[in-house]
Amino acid sequence: MISTGVSFGHRQVAEADHWILALDPAPSFACTHLVQTPFPHVAISVVSTSSYETTDELRAGADAAATGRFGRAVIFPGSSELTGRLTVAELLERTGIDRVEVLGSGVAEDDAVVDTRDFVRPQFRGDDLVLVTMPAAGGVLVPFETRDPTPCCADHG
């Protein structure tokens, strides 16, 4: 397995997610990282049997991703099995996620039910992979990050 950083200058995490999920063979681990060099964009860290090339112009972003500690995991151990509803205990047992938290309330109870909505993107906090959730209708928890977030109204151009 090769661990490397790569950058193609993706402006949106969805673009980087799409690139990651299209890899064949699939990597064993892949994260997105918001980097600032040479311009704000999404770079990627990948653990795979394949290697990927980054242009010299984007090398600083790729290097930042390779050494970044605060990645957003797209592919991680057990990620392909995170579909439907399962308890926090089941989620922790089946995946590489270390902790499930409820936004503003701390660590989720083991018997709490998470409706994955088939889109789970935990983030590293130090060495822990943490899934942040929020309460939803029906007494379940759902991942805080959604597949189709509401666009921001601010002009960031």
Side-chain angles (χ1 to χ4, degrees):
M1 289 287 179
I2 301 167
S3 179
T4 189
V6 62
S7 179
F8 299 108
H10 295 116
R11 294 292 191 157
Q12 304 292 324
V13 291
E15 295 170 354
D17 282 12
H18 181 76
W19 182 83
I20 291 168
L21 295 172
L23 292 174
D24 185 20
S28 61
F29 212 100
C31 291
T32 60
H33 304 263
L34 302 180
V35 298
Q36 299 300 312
T37 54
F39 55 85
H41 69 282
V42 182
I44 300 164
S45 59
V46 181
V47 177
S48 173
T49 56
S50 301
S51 61
Y52 308 98
E53 296 297 321
T54 296
T55 64
D56 289 343
E57 161 182 272
L58 297 172
R59 172 58 39 210
D63 290 346
T67 59
R69 296 190 60 207
F70 299 101
R72 168 185 166 273
V74 176
I75 295 177
F76 51 94
S79 60
S80 64
E81 298 174 30
L82 285 176
T83 59
R85 294 180 176 198
L86 58 164
T87 66
V88 168
E90 292 170 326
L91 187 147
L92 296 175
E93 181 181 310
R94 296 177 185 178
T95 71
I97 295 174
D98 297 302
R99 187 170 64 249
V100 176
E101 293 183 356
V102 181
L103 188 64
S105 299
V107 177
E109 298 291 329
D110 283 348
D111 61 348
V113 175
V114 177
D115 182 349
T116 66
R117 296 183 173 174
D118 302 341
F119 187 83
V120 177
R121 298 292 186 266
Q123 296 190 5
F124 276 101
R125 287 194 197 151
D127 293 330
D128 291 337
L129 192 56
V130 179
L131 176 64
V132 177
T133 63
M134 59 186 180
V140 299
L141 300 173
V142 296
F144 179 71
E145 181 180 342
T146 63
R147 183 183 313 268
D148 300 308
T150 302
C152 177
C153 59
D155 181 8
H156 300 284

